[in-house]
C-alpha cells in the first residue's frame, strides 16, 4: 500500500501491537491483574478478531477474579451473551 491509506493501515497495526505490548507488560509486572488480561482480550477480540487469544485472556481474568463481570460479559464462547 502506498499513500494515505497505506500509511493509516501501518499506523493502525503499530498501535494494535503497542496496545498488546502494553497490556502484556502490565501482566508481566502483575500476573494477577484481571483488568490487564481483560483489556488485552478486548484488543484481541474486537480489533484483531482473534477469538482464541481473547478467550484465553478472558478465562485468565475470570480465574484470577471469579466475579470479574467485564470478562464474563465479553467471552466470545458464551452462547447466552452472543
Amino acid at each position: 500500500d502506498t499513500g494515505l491509506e497505506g500509511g493509516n493501515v501501518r499506523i493502525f497495526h503499530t498501535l494494535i501491537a503497542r496496545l498488546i505490548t502494553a497490556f502484556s507488560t502490565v501482566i508481566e509486572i502483575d500476573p494477577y491483574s484481571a483488568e490487564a488480561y481483560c483489556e488485552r482480550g478486548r484488543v484481541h477480540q474486537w480489533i484483531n478478531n482473534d477469538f482464541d487469544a481473547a478467550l484465553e485472556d478472558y478465562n485468565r481474568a475470570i480465574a484470577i477474579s471469579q466475579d470479574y463481570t467485564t470478562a464474563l460479559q465479553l467471552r466470545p464462547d458464551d452462547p447466552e451473551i452472543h
Side-chain angles (χ1 to χ4, degrees):
D1 289 323
T2 59
L4 184 59
E5 184 177 321
N8 287 340
V9 169
R10 284 190 298 279
I11 290 169
F12 181 73
H13 287 291
T14 299
L15 290 175
I16 293 168
R18 286 184 182 175
L19 280 170
I20 291 173
T21 298
F23 289 124
S24 296
T25 299
V26 171
I27 290 166
E28 286 177 21
I29 294 167
D30 180 5
Y32 298 101
S33 174
E35 184 176 11
Y37 279 104
C38 186
E39 294 305 317
R40 189 175 70 178
R42 283 184 204 241
V43 173
H44 287 307
Q45 180 176 359
W46 299 107
I47 298 175
N48 281 348
N49 292 318
D50 185 348
F51 297 109
D52 292 334
L55 184 58
E56 186 176 321
D57 279 349
Y58 294 147
N59 285 337
R60 182 69 181 133
I62 293 163
I64 292 167
S65 180
Q66 297 288 319
D67 61 348
Y68 200 74
T69 57
T70 302
L72 287 168
Q73 292 169 348
L74 293 171
R75 283 196 331 198
D77 69 331
D78 191 336
E80 292 183 21
I81 295 171
H82 303 284

